[in-house]
Amino acid sequence: MIALKSDREIGIMREAGEIIKEVLAEMEKSLRSGMTTDDLDRMSEEMILKAGGEPAFKGYHGFPKTACISLNEEVVHGIPGEREIKDQDIVSFDVGVRLQGYHADAARTWVVGNADQKIKSFVDSARGALAKALKNYQPGWRIGDLSAAIQSYVEAQGYQVVRNYVGHGIGREMHEDPQVPNFGKPGQGPKIEPGLVVAIEPMVTEGHYDVEVLENGWTVVTKDKKYATHYEDTIAFLENGFMNLTGDLGKEF
Ligand code: MG
């Protein structure tokens, strides 16, 4: 069942999103080779608590940390630890915040240091896919229109979208209906109505989209060990458009 949100609920989620924006900006500024993924995780947790929020991933189905940090061939759900970040690593940072019982969720992927243009454009393809979906959005769309916009953008660049993991509704729960796949057909799926809030999160692979889960039960990696990139924002659809609660994409709407 899809729980449409009131303006009041969206307002609280917007505040949760503001905390995430600050965390993401700080992570991007601080990220450098030699740090461990735990360093980033600890910084983000401190910031969230100081801002009055709660780290929503911590304890979620037993996840032990504040952020999911996934490097290189890792797609999502990487567990922060003692691993040292190296020059040219591709670092995906995904974080959720709960505030007054409501959630916001966002992810960014950065390259450490100076990578070649080919890697940079690959990493940027997940952001580009979300940007395109939001730019094309028209009132009356269904979820499948978002999915198809993301998929066609990614595949036109010669990359693939992950099938096994999808975006999701968000609100009182971190994961609510509807699912928001990064693949699909225009005109299909639930209708996008005012009050729908979803985390849209293109997960893109440089090679084949097949993924598997490591023995730790969490970390999702590409089967062919080629790179992955991930970009996510929490988007609230309104009467005449939408509001990006966790980032700047789509502001031109
Ligand atoms: Mg998410």
Side-chain angles (χ1 to χ4, degrees):
M1 201 199 71
I2 295 174
L4 298 174
K5 309 298 182 296
S6 67
D7 289 349
R8 184 192 67 87
E9 291 174 299
I10 291 173
I12 298 170
M13 294 174 76
R14 189 180 190 176
E15 285 180 46
E18 288 300 321
I19 299 174
I20 289 187
K21 280 195 211 176
E22 283 169 28
V23 168
L24 292 175
E26 188 60 33
M27 293 303 108
E28 183 172 18
K29 211 167 68 186
S30 310
L31 178 64
R32 52 182 56 84
S33 60
M35 299 178 91
T36 67
T37 49
D38 250 348
D39 291 335
L40 292 173
D41 189 72
R42 271 194 295 269
M43 286 169 59
S44 65
E45 176 164 350
E46 256 173 49
M47 284 186 75
I48 291 167
L49 293 173
K50 210 169 154 197
E54 298 164 71
F57 291 177
K58 204 169 194 176
Y60 188 82
H61 294 287
F63 189 77
K65 301 284 177 154
T66 290
C68 293
I69 304 180
S70 311
L71 271 54
N72 303 325
E73 78 281 3
E74 297 173 356
V75 186
V76 286
H77 305 165
I79 305 174
E82 289 310 304
R83 179 169 177 182
E84 210 171 273
I85 295 168
K86 297 201 284 290
D87 197 42
Q88 306 210 357
D89 272 349
I90 295 177
V91 179
S92 150
F93 182 94
D94 187 352
V95 71
V97 165
R98 181 167 49 245
L99 188 71
Q100 297 168 43
Y102 288 89
H103 296 82
D105 185 6
R108 300 288 181 267
T109 302
W110 304 290
V111 191
V112 183
N114 283 317
D116 64 45
Q117 194 49 48
K118 190 172 164 257
I119 294 184
K120 283 186 187 160
S121 0
F122 166 68
V123 166
D124 204 39
S125 65
R127 189 189 71 87
L130 179 56
K132 184 195 163 195
L134 294 177
K135 190 164 190 275
N136 290 5
Y137 169 76
Q138 303 285 343
W141 265 26
R142 291 178 178 274
I143 294 294
D145 294 292
L146 289 173
S147 305
I150 290 168
Q151 182 177 16
S152 62
Y153 179 91
V154 167
E155 291 180 354
Q157 301 194 37
Y159 308 127
Q160 298 193 2
V161 289
V162 169
R163 301 325 200 244
N164 290 15
Y165 298 86
V166 296
H168 49 92
I170 182 166
R172 283 215 169 265
E173 305 295 331
M174 172 78 79
H175 294 107
E176 299 184 354
D177 288 340
Q179 292 200 338
V180 185
N182 297 305
F183 57 96
K185 294 199 164 55
Q188 297 195 345
K191 200 163 179 212
I192 296 173
E193 294 190 76
L196 178 74
V197 185
V198 286
I200 311 176
E201 46 181 322
M203 292 164 237
V204 178
T205 57
E206 193 195 15
H208 197 277
Y209 63 72
D210 266 352
V211 296
E212 60 192 1
V213 180
L214 295 185
E215 267 178 28
N216 65 22
W218 282 104
T219 313
V220 177
V221 298
T222 57
K223 264 192 183 164
D224 60 14
K225 301 291 180 280
K226 292 193 174 174
Y227 288 138
T229 179
H230 179 208
Y231 195 101
E232 174 179 30
D233 273 325
T234 297
I235 307 290
F237 289 95
L238 311 170
E239 203 64 58
N240 289 306
F242 62 83
M243 191 159 48
N244 187 337
L245 306 183
T246 52
D248 294 327
L249 281 189
K251 280 285 157 63
E252 71 274 15
F253 185 84

